Amino acid sequence: MPLPTVPYSVPDLSAGESLARAQAFYERLNHRRTVREFSARPIPEGVLEQCILAAGTAPSGAHKQPWRFVVVRDPIVKRAIREAAEKEEHDNYEWRMSEAWKRDLEPLGTDEHKPFLEVAPALIVVMALKHGDEGPEALHYYVQESVGIACGLLIAALHTAGLATLTHTPSPMGFLQKVLERPAHERPFVLLPVGYPAKGCQVPDLHRKSLGELSVWL
Ligand code: IYR
């Protein structure tokens, strides 16, 4: 049965207003940087809730909304996550990652130590739902694509709210399911430490692809 429909339109912008908004949005997002040093400054009440609602506006396969956002603020849980993540990352840097991979990461200065997992006031663990909460017969479609889009919106929303994030993908991530006591159909997808950059925080002076490099127009 098709859903009932409701009227829909987009704001009727002039060409100039359209371009101005597109430019302003790009400039705002281009200011975003992944931060690895966080301060303990608390996040204002209600901000994470709004950003998660923004993430939940993402399109998804058959509108199944195959995501859940687990917000961790409890220092004991943050410490458990840090300990487990550092154990996995130790093995990654020690023997699981190729030499080429480690060389590629060198300019970014990452290593197996993840203090941000305890210092950042909140960690958002984005879960991809393999199927609906009702059970395996509640099928989900294009889960990776859908959750990936939701993560992009979440990162953009957090940035817009003046917060910094780090896109952390400890690997393998199975430990998160255990530490967070989540059911088996919730698969950790990405972990975002969220907060404010530490005083004197530095980020690598990296450059983004130009329009010519990142697009093809036919
Ligand atoms: N997961 C490891 C390694 C790592 C991999 C990529 I690709 C990065 O962009 C950064 C780090 C870690 O978190 O250190």
Side-chain angles (χ1 to χ4, degrees):
M1 266 283 276
L3 288 171
T5 61
V6 290
Y8 177 73
S9 65
V10 295
D12 186 19
L13 304 180
S14 68
E17 176 64 11
S18 194
L19 179 58
R21 285 200 195 189
Q23 244 162 6
F25 189 68
Y26 159 62
E27 276 159 24
R28 178 175 288 188
L29 288 195
N30 196 33
H31 184 71
R32 186 198 60 78
R33 292 301 311 269
T34 287
V35 154
R36 291 178 197 281
E37 298 163 79
F38 286 85
S39 85
R41 179 179 160 193
I43 298 167
E45 217 165 291
V47 173
L48 293 182
E49 287 84 342
Q50 295 305 311
C51 293
I52 290 169
L53 284 169
T57 68
S60 61
H63 190 56
K64 295 293 184 179
Q65 308 175 76
W67 41 63
R68 185 156 286 118
F69 302 89
V70 181
V71 183
V72 182
R73 288 166 301 182
D74 182 337
I76 295 167
V77 183
K78 286 197 293 179
R79 168 163 304 180
I81 290 177
R82 176 183 179 180
E83 281 171 3
E86 286 185 336
K87 212 181 281 165
E88 293 294 1
E89 293 299 353
H90 170 82
D91 290 353
N92 284 339
Y93 284 88
E94 193 75 10
W95 54 269
R96 281 201 287 245
M97 287 155 68
S98 67
E99 289 309 311
W101 189 351
K102 282 188 274 193
R103 242 190 339 270
D104 276 339
L105 286 176
E106 253 172 40
L108 305 175
T110 68
D111 61 29
E112 68 193 66
H113 303 292
K114 307 296 175 193
F116 49 75
L117 292 173
E118 270 190 277
V119 178
L123 311 176
I124 303 181
V125 185
V126 182
M127 298 293 201
L129 308 191
K130 262 185 66 179
H131 55 71
D133 293 332
E134 309 87 320
E137 59 293 335
L139 299 181
H140 282 173
Y141 313 92
Y142 298 101
V143 173
Q144 304 293 106
E145 292 84 346
S146 305
V147 180
I149 296 168
C151 286
L153 294 183
L154 179 59
I155 291 167
L158 291 164
H159 172 69
T160 294
L163 292 163
T165 58
L166 162 59
T167 310
H168 184 40
T169 49
S171 171
M173 284 205 265
F175 70 87
L176 284 170
Q177 225 165 349
K178 239 182 268 154
V179 173
L180 301 173
E181 298 178 12
R182 301 308 305 166
H185 71 290
E186 286 189 15
R187 297 289 162 90
F189 185 81
V190 91
L191 190 168
L192 299 174
V194 183
Y196 294 93
K199 235 191 172 149
C201 170
Q202 300 263 338
V203 294
D205 183 20
L206 49 77
H207 296 276
R208 293 186 164 127
K209 287 184 176 178
S210 67
L211 186 62
E213 290 169 304
L214 60 83
S215 62
V216 176
W217 302 67
L218 305 177

